[in-house]
Amino acid sequence: VDYSLGEGEAPPGSIEDGTYHSKAYVDQHVANLMREQNRKRLSLEEFKKKRAKDFEEIFGGSELDEKKRREYRKQLDAEREAKLRGDKAKKDKKKKKKKKKKKGVGWA
């Protein structure tokens, strides 16, 4: 690529549209692209084999961890059910209070 510019001649691209770069930047960018193109990349299967130990540490794999996760999941499910059902006693109190207020009984 020829980057020589005549007098009064603008470089390719422009600063306004963000496409102008120096010759050194363009050369460095092209060199980086060529280096990346020639590099061998791991397939997903190769990566999994290479990082199996790390996956084991991060995500766990022992039976004990699995048992803890199941117990915790049961606890979360029970809490969610309780919240979705609502507090029956609280609803009953609210209904009674509303009835008393309607009848005029109670303090107000």
Side-chain angles (χ1 to χ4, degrees), residues 13-72:
S14 69
I15 294 174
E16 288 81 24
D17 66 8
T19 58
Y20 170 74
H21 292 288
S22 68
K23 177 185 182 317
Y25 174 83
V26 171
D27 290 342
Q28 181 67 39
H29 185 64
V30 168
N32 286 340
L33 290 174
M34 294 301 288
R35 198 172 28 250
E36 288 295 316
Q37 181 181 14
N38 295 332
R39 195 174 91 190
K40 182 187 181 303
R41 300 195 185 267
L42 295 176
S43 70
L44 180 59
E45 295 305 317
E46 292 170 333
F47 177 76
K48 284 181 180 180
K49 286 179 187 175
K50 185 177 178 183
R51 304 297 290 205
K53 182 181 176 192
D54 294 336
F55 284 146
E56 186 77 23
E57 289 175 10
I58 293 170
F59 300 113
S62 70
E63 198 57 38
L64 182 61
D65 289 340
E66 186 65 31
K67 186 177 179 181
K68 284 181 182 178
R69 276 194 289 272
R70 275 191 243 122
E71 288 174 6
Y72 181 64

Side-chain angles (χ1 to χ4, degrees), residues 81-92:
E81 278 299 315
K83 286 183 180 182
L84 289 175
R85 251 193 342 259
D87 189 4
K88 182 76 171 152
K90 187 176 180 181
K91 287 181 181 179
D92 289 342

